[in-house]
Structures are given as C-alpha cells and as structure tokens.
Amino acid sequence: MNDKKRAIKISPIRKGTVIDHIRCGQSLKVLKILGLTDVEIRDVVSIAMNVESSSGKKDIVKVENKEISSEELDKISLISPETTINIIRDYEVIKKQRVNLPKRVSGIVRCRNRNCITNQREPVDPEFKVISSEPVNIKCIYCEREMKEEEISENLL
Ligand code: CTP
Ligand code: ZN
C-alpha cells in the first residue's frame, strides 16, 4: 500500500462540524451528548478512534449539518477539555474553536451523592467548581463530593 492510501482514514466533509482532538475513548460519549445515538438520525456521522495526531492519539467525530449548542460545548469540555470544533463549509474550515472548560458548572451534571440537597425535592440546581482539568475533577458546591471524568459522563443531565 502506498503512503497516500495508508493516510486515508476518514473522509473530509463538505458541510458540517468536525469535533477534533477528542480524548481517546470519549467519542461515543460525545455522540451521546450530541444526541446522535438515536435511530432516527438521518445525517451522516463518521467516527475515528485512536487516530495518530501531532500531539498523540485522539478520537474524531464528523457530523453533517450539525450546529452545536453552548450547553453541548460545556458538556464536551467536561469529558474532553482539549477538543476543537471546526465548522466546515464547501470543504473549508471556516471557524475553529476550542471548547472551554468553565470554572463553574451549573445545571448540566447531577451530583452523584444521592443525599445532596440538589437531589432532594428542593428547587436547587446542581453546581460544581472545576478543580482540575487533567484529569477533569469537579466538586459539588453544596456537599463537596468530588466527581471524576467517568462519574461526570455517567451523570450528565
Ligand atoms: N476536516 C474535514 N473536512 C474538511 C476539512 C477539515 O473533515 N473539509 C477535518 C480535518 O481532517 C481535521 C479537522 O477537520 O481533523 C480540522 O481541519 P484543519 O484545521 O484543516 O486541520 P489542522 O490544521 O490539522 O487542525 P488542528 O490545528 O486543529 O489540529
Ligand atoms: Zn452534591
């Protein structure tokens, strides 16, 4: 096989969004966050896992015709803070944006402590302080329970 054939792993897209530099193993969670696991989805979606890149291995998700909301961006930042979002039109990257891991997270993750006030019948939205990004670790501002990546992705709202 020549080098060019070896290099082709996942085709460029004409129009849509490329979610790039996803932490290895997190691409399926990204699909879940974007609601792309539904059987009703008609858009073309491509996924690559464990692809070599300049900065080590990564996952990539490419979706045609998809706009990503700011809530979805925040969720992705929690499970993969180095992710970049590339908007593609006519095969060109017209906008590149890195997701931004916020200092505080409210309303998008449930506290894993069942006795936390945010899990009672009180009108208290869950809120966390982000205490580290590598690995991602967040701390509930009410009960101080810490949650790491795996727990965060299991408790996304
Ligand atoms: N891409 C694509 N279809 C296009 C254009 C780009 O799928 N029509 C993908 C590229 O394969 C890459 C990502 O979108 O995974 C970003 O493209 P580009 O900015 O051209 O690549 P890089 O400069 O390598 O990006 P970065 O610096 O963010 O790694
Ligand atoms: Zn809590």
Side-chain angles (χ1 to χ4, degrees), residues 26 35 37 45 51 62-63 87 95 110 116 126 132 134 140 148 152:
Q26 300 292 59
T37 51
V45 178
V51 180
K62 302 188 183 188
V63 199
I87 310 296
K95 189 177 169 208
R110 186 188 305 114
C116 179
S132 114
E134 182 70 61
C140 177
K148 294 223 169 66
I152 294 169

Side-chain angles (χ1 to χ4, degrees), residues 10-15 17-21 53-55 58 60-62 84-93 95-96:
I10 175 168
S11 307
I13 60 172
R14 191 176 69 78
K15 177 173 182 286
T17 304
V18 175
I19 305 150
D20 199 1
H21 301 283
S53 85
S54 48
S55 49
K58 63 176 182 181
I60 310 172
V61 170
K62 302 188 183 188
T84 55
I85 309 290
N86 300 273
I87 310 296
I88 315 291
R89 295 280 185 275
D90 284 326
Y91 289 100
E92 300 288 334
V93 177
K95 189 177 169 208
K96 186 187 291 282

Side-chain angles (χ1 to χ4, degrees), residues 9-145:
K9 292 234 170 63
I10 175 168
S11 307
I13 60 172
R14 191 176 69 78
K15 177 173 182 286
T17 304
V18 175
I19 305 150
D20 199 1
H21 301 283
I22 301 170
R23 284 191 184 173
C24 281
Q26 300 292 59
S27 53
L28 295 178
K29 287 169 192 153
V30 169
L31 290 184
K32 197 170 164 212
I33 289 168
L34 298 179
L36 295 172
T37 51
D38 198 288
V39 286
E40 296 291 314
I41 299 297
R42 296 275 182 270
D43 294 320
V44 176
V45 178
S46 330
I47 308 159
M49 296 183 188
N50 301 319
V51 180
E52 291 294 347
S53 85
S54 48
S55 49
K57 291 194 171 190
K58 63 176 182 181
D59 287 1
I60 310 172
V61 170
K62 302 188 183 188
V63 199
E64 287 183 1
N65 306 314
K66 169 78 185 170
E67 303 267 324
I68 300 181
S69 71
S70 59
E71 188 174 302
E72 289 168 337
L73 286 176
D74 284 348
K75 288 182 179 175
I76 294 170
S77 78
L78 283 171
I79 61 157
S80 176
E82 301 80 19
T83 301
T84 55
I85 309 290
N86 300 273
I87 310 296
I88 315 291
R89 295 280 185 275
D90 284 326
Y91 289 100
E92 300 288 334
V93 177
I94 60 159
K95 189 177 169 208
K96 186 187 291 282
Q97 166 188 12
R98 203 167 141 166
V99 299
N100 174 41
L101 183 63
K103 290 196 170 58
R104 280 195 176 227
V105 182
S106 58
I108 57 174
V109 188
R110 186 188 305 114
C111 184
R112 71 183 169 93
N113 171 11
R114 283 163 164 241
N115 296 321
C116 179
I117 188 166
T118 60
N119 288 323
Q120 309 304 315
R121 262 182 268 169
E122 310 281 342
V124 182
D125 281 340
E127 186 163 341
F128 300 86
K129 260 189 205 161
V130 176
I131 55 177
S132 114
S133 64
E134 182 70 61
V136 178
N137 194 1
I138 63 176
K139 186 174 185 172
C140 177
I141 66 164
Y142 298 102
C143 72
E144 306 210 312
R145 187 71 63 94

